[in-house]
CSV table of all heavy atoms in Angstrom, one decimal:
chain,number,residue,atom,x,y,z
A,195,ARG,N,-40.2,-51.7,22.9
A,195,ARG,CA,-39.1,-52.1,23.8
A,195,ARG,C,-38.0,-51.1,24.0
A,195,ARG,O,-37.4,-50.9,25.0
A,195,ARG,CB,-38.5,-53.4,23.3
A,195,ARG,CG,-37.5,-54.0,24.3
A,195,ARG,CD,-36.9,-55.2,23.8
A,195,ARG,NE,-37.6,-56.4,24.2
A,195,ARG,CZ,-37.0,-57.6,24.2
A,195,ARG,NH1,-35.8,-57.8,23.9
A,195,ARG,NH2,-37.7,-58.6,24.6
A,196,GLN,N,-37.8,-50.3,22.9
A,196,GLN,CA,-36.8,-49.2,23.0
A,196,GLN,C,-37.4,-47.9,23.5
A,196,GLN,O,-36.7,-46.9,23.5
A,196,GLN,CB,-36.2,-48.9,21.6
A,196,GLN,CG,-35.8,-50.1,20.8
A,196,GLN,CD,-34.8,-51.0,21.5
A,196,GLN,OE1,-33.8,-50.5,22.1
A,196,GLN,NE2,-35.0,-52.3,21.6
A,197,GLY,N,-38.6,-48.0,24.0
A,197,GLY,CA,-39.2,-46.8,24.6
A,197,GLY,C,-39.9,-45.8,23.6
A,197,GLY,O,-40.2,-44.7,24.0
A,198,VAL,N,-40.1,-46.3,22.3
A,198,VAL,CA,-40.8,-45.4,21.4
A,198,VAL,C,-42.2,-46.0,21.1
A,198,VAL,O,-42.3,-47.2,20.7
A,198,VAL,CB,-40.0,-45.4,20.0
A,198,VAL,CG1,-40.8,-44.6,19.0
A,198,VAL,CG2,-38.7,-44.7,20.3
A,199,ARG,N,-43.2,-45.2,21.4
A,199,ARG,CA,-44.6,-45.6,21.1
A,199,ARG,C,-44.9,-45.4,19.7
A,199,ARG,O,-44.9,-44.3,19.2
A,199,ARG,CB,-45.5,-44.8,22.1
A,199,ARG,CG,-46.8,-45.3,22.1
A,199,ARG,CD,-47.5,-44.9,23.4
A,199,ARG,NE,-48.9,-45.1,23.2
A,199,ARG,CZ,-49.9,-44.3,23.6
A,199,ARG,NH1,-49.6,-43.3,24.4
A,199,ARG,NH2,-51.1,-44.6,23.4
A,200,VAL,N,-45.3,-46.5,19.0
A,200,VAL,CA,-45.8,-46.3,17.6
A,200,VAL,C,-47.3,-46.6,17.6
A,200,VAL,O,-47.7,-47.8,17.9
A,200,VAL,CB,-45.0,-47.3,16.7
A,200,VAL,CG1,-45.5,-47.1,15.2
A,200,VAL,CG2,-43.5,-47.0,16.7
A,201,ILE,N,-48.1,-45.7,17.2
A,201,ILE,CA,-49.6,-45.8,17.1
A,201,ILE,C,-49.9,-46.0,15.7
A,201,ILE,O,-49.6,-45.2,14.9
A,201,ILE,CB,-50.3,-44.6,17.7
A,201,ILE,CG1,-49.9,-44.4,19.2
A,201,ILE,CG2,-51.8,-44.7,17.5
A,201,ILE,CD1,-50.2,-43.0,19.7
A,202,THR,N,-50.5,-47.2,15.3
A,202,THR,CA,-50.9,-47.4,14.0
A,202,THR,C,-52.4,-47.3,13.8
A,202,THR,O,-53.1,-47.3,14.8
A,202,THR,CB,-50.4,-48.8,13.5
A,202,THR,OG1,-50.9,-49.8,14.5
A,202,THR,CG2,-48.9,-48.9,13.4
A,203,GLY,N,-52.8,-47.1,12.5
A,203,GLY,CA,-54.3,-47.1,12.3
A,203,GLY,C,-54.9,-45.8,12.8
A,203,GLY,O,-56.1,-45.8,13.0
A,204,ALA,N,-54.1,-44.7,13.0
A,204,ALA,CA,-54.7,-43.4,13.4
A,204,ALA,C,-54.0,-42.3,12.7
A,204,ALA,O,-52.8,-42.5,12.3
A,204,ALA,CB,-54.5,-43.3,14.9
A,205,ARG,N,-54.7,-41.2,12.5
A,205,ARG,CA,-54.1,-40.0,11.9
A,205,ARG,C,-54.0,-38.9,12.8
A,205,ARG,O,-54.8,-38.8,13.8
A,205,ARG,CB,-55.0,-39.5,10.7
A,205,ARG,CG,-55.1,-40.5,9.6
A,205,ARG,CD,-56.3,-40.0,8.7
A,205,ARG,NE,-56.6,-41.0,7.7
A,205,ARG,CZ,-56.3,-40.8,6.4
A,205,ARG,NH1,-55.8,-39.7,6.0
A,205,ARG,NH2,-56.6,-41.8,5.5
A,206,VAL,N,-53.1,-38.0,12.5
A,206,VAL,CA,-53.1,-36.7,13.2
A,206,VAL,C,-54.3,-35.9,12.7
A,206,VAL,O,-54.4,-35.7,11.4
A,206,VAL,CB,-51.8,-35.9,13.1
A,206,VAL,CG1,-51.9,-34.5,13.6
A,206,VAL,CG2,-50.7,-36.7,13.8
A,207,ALA,N,-55.2,-35.5,13.5
A,207,ALA,CA,-56.4,-34.7,13.1
A,207,ALA,C,-56.1,-33.2,13.1
A,207,ALA,O,-56.6,-32.5,12.2
A,207,ALA,CB,-57.6,-35.1,13.9
Side-chain angles (χ1 to χ4, degrees):
R195 184 184 269 204
Q196 311 306 313
V198 175
R199 190 160 163 212
V200 181
I201 299 165
T202 50
R205 294 167 189 252
V206 169

